[in-house]
Amino acid sequence: MTGNGDDGALLMQSVLRRIRDEIFDGTLEPGASLSVPGLAARLDVSRSPVREAVQQLVMDGLAVYTPRVGAKVAVLDDAMLRHVFEVREVLDGLAARQATVRVTRAQLAELAERVREQERLLETEPDHRRDAELDLDFHTAVRSLSGNAPLCDALLKLDIQSHLYRSDMWSHEDNRRHAVTEHRRIVAALDVGDVDEADRAARAHAAGVLVRLLRT
């Protein structure tokens, strides 16, 4: 039987997803107030799950809290985006190195299929949300192969923060093709068991994404 505690946790997660989606789709813009009473009234829930959800957003780096002012949606400018990707570049390289020595043939085949799916979609019209999610799914899969939970958690937080940066990167055909080429290079390095090349390929991809984000 599910207790009240479980119900409360599920409600908080539901509220968290709703607020996070509004941040990602721009309904709640960077700098927007995250008033607990206001959000609770608008979402038609009690204040407690909203308060917990906002606290989680602060922990995830999607919101900032100032005493006597309250929480606001975080602002990710060019300088902060560079800092985020400087860290991501190093950690993604480490994740790729660790994944190289642990990945199985079956997992390699799955990664290769993910890249082929991205290649097939290059023949279709761009879809910002779809293409961004496919990119994140690929990286999440590679990182999970590292077997390093703290590393995966740190990279997930960096990915969440980078969503704050408004960009139409995935709307450009050349950017989509560059991403696929770079993903293919990462898989190839894992396939041959070259840890140094896997590290370089993952770092180069993160560096390239940053340049393309700032270029658009």
Side-chain angles (χ1 to χ4, degrees):
M1 178 181 251
T2 302
N4 290 335
D6 292 333
D7 290 341
L10 288 173
L11 178 58
M12 190 282 282
Q13 288 296 327
S14 175
V15 170
L16 177 62
R17 282 194 297 272
R18 291 171 70 180
I19 299 175
R20 185 185 288 152
D21 286 345
E22 290 190 1
I23 293 173
F24 288 166
D25 68 21
T27 301
L28 286 169
E29 297 183 344
S33 172
L34 293 173
S35 162
V36 171
L39 287 169
R42 183 162 65 81
L43 300 177
D44 194 24
V45 295
S46 66
R47 295 184 183 186
S48 180
V50 174
R51 186 177 298 107
E52 292 178 24
V54 171
Q55 290 173 346
Q56 185 62 51
L57 291 170
V58 172
M59 291 176 61
D60 289 341
L62 284 178
V64 293
Y65 176 80
T66 304
R68 295 186 295 279
V69 174
K72 293 183 178 182
V73 178
V75 177
L76 192 71
D77 58 16
D78 289 2
M80 184 58 69
L81 184 73
R82 287 190 177 93
H83 294 324
V84 167
F85 269 84
E86 284 171 359
V87 179
R88 177 183 158 179
E89 184 178 332
V90 174
L91 296 187
D92 259 331
L94 175 60
R97 291 185 73 89
Q98 295 182 346
T100 303
V101 298
R102 298 180 77 254
V103 66
T104 66
R105 290 185 183 278
Q107 290 165 336
L108 278 168
E110 182 180 334
L111 285 176
E113 179 53 36
R114 288 177 184 273
V115 177
R116 282 193 291 271
E117 174 65 13
Q118 289 179 303
E119 288 177 323
R120 287 191 288 268
L121 289 173
L122 290 175
E123 306 307 317
T124 68
E125 289 296 314
D127 181 321
H128 185 281
R129 179 169 288 245
R130 177 201 67 194
D131 295 332
E133 287 180 351
L134 285 172
D135 181 74
L136 179 58
D137 286 347
F138 173 81
H139 291 293
T140 300
V142 173
R143 295 162 183 170
S144 67
L145 293 172
S146 72
N148 189 328
L151 178 60
C152 293
D153 289 344
L155 280 162
L156 178 59
K157 183 174 181 178
L158 293 171
D159 281 330
I160 289 173
Q161 288 177 321
S162 67
H163 270 82
L164 292 168
Y165 193 83
R166 301 295 176 222
S167 170
D168 62 349
M169 183 185 78
W170 294 107
S171 301
H172 297 275
E173 184 68 23
D174 55 342
N175 289 341
R176 298 168 70 205
R177 293 189 179 279
H178 289 323
V180 170
T181 298
E182 290 159 4
H183 289 175
R184 193 185 303 117
R185 179 185 171 191
I186 293 170
V187 174
L190 266 64
D191 188 22
V192 299
D194 189 334
V195 295
D196 290 331
E197 172 60 14
D199 188 334
R200 285 191 296 268
R203 284 172 175 258
H205 176 54
V209 170
L210 172 61
V211 170
R212 295 191 288 271
L213 278 169
L214 293 172
R215 184 182 292 160
T216 54

